[in-house]
Amino acid sequence: MATKEDIIMTANSVFESYDTDNSGFIDRSEMKTVVTTLFKKINDKTICTDTRLNKLFTNIDKNSDNKLGKKEFRELVALFLDPTQPEPEAW
């Protein structure tokens, strides 16, 4: 199981890689790239539809500002890295 430090380090690294406009946030377009890349890396045949992406984004975007800050993004990464977490409803 990933430690809290592992999750923070991984989330920050992924965040910096995909925040392509350097806004300090992950927007929906950048999020689509993140999720699509993750599906490819785990060799999942599931397609990330816009509907699924929007549902996931809305569930993670706690303050409803249409962008994910680092804290919100870390929560998403924690879901992927911690196998004890239930699968997100958005999937």
Side-chain angles (χ1 to χ4, degrees), residues 28 32 36 47-57:
R28 286 180 190 266
K32 185 169 188 168
T36 301
I47 297 171
C48 183
T49 64
D50 286 340
T51 301
R52 290 176 93 187
L53 178 69
N54 287 334
K55 190 172 181 184
L56 175 64
F57 196 95

Side-chain angles (χ1 to χ4, degrees), residues 3 9 13 15 17 21 23 36 40 44 48 52 54 56 58-59 62-63 65 68-69 72-73 76 79 83-84 88:
T3 67
M9 191 169 66
S13 175
F15 188 96
S17 296
D21 62 1
S23 66
T36 301
K40 286 180 184 175
D44 192 329
C48 183
R52 290 176 93 187
N54 287 334
L56 175 64
T58 300
N59 286 338
K62 303 291 186 202
N63 62 358
D65 63 354
L68 302 180
E72 292 166 320
F73 192 75
L76 173 66
L79 290 174
T84 64

Side-chain angles (χ1 to χ4, degrees), residues 78-90:
L79 290 174
F80 280 99
L81 294 181
D82 186 351
T84 64
Q85 294 290 320
E87 188 171 296
E89 289 180 24

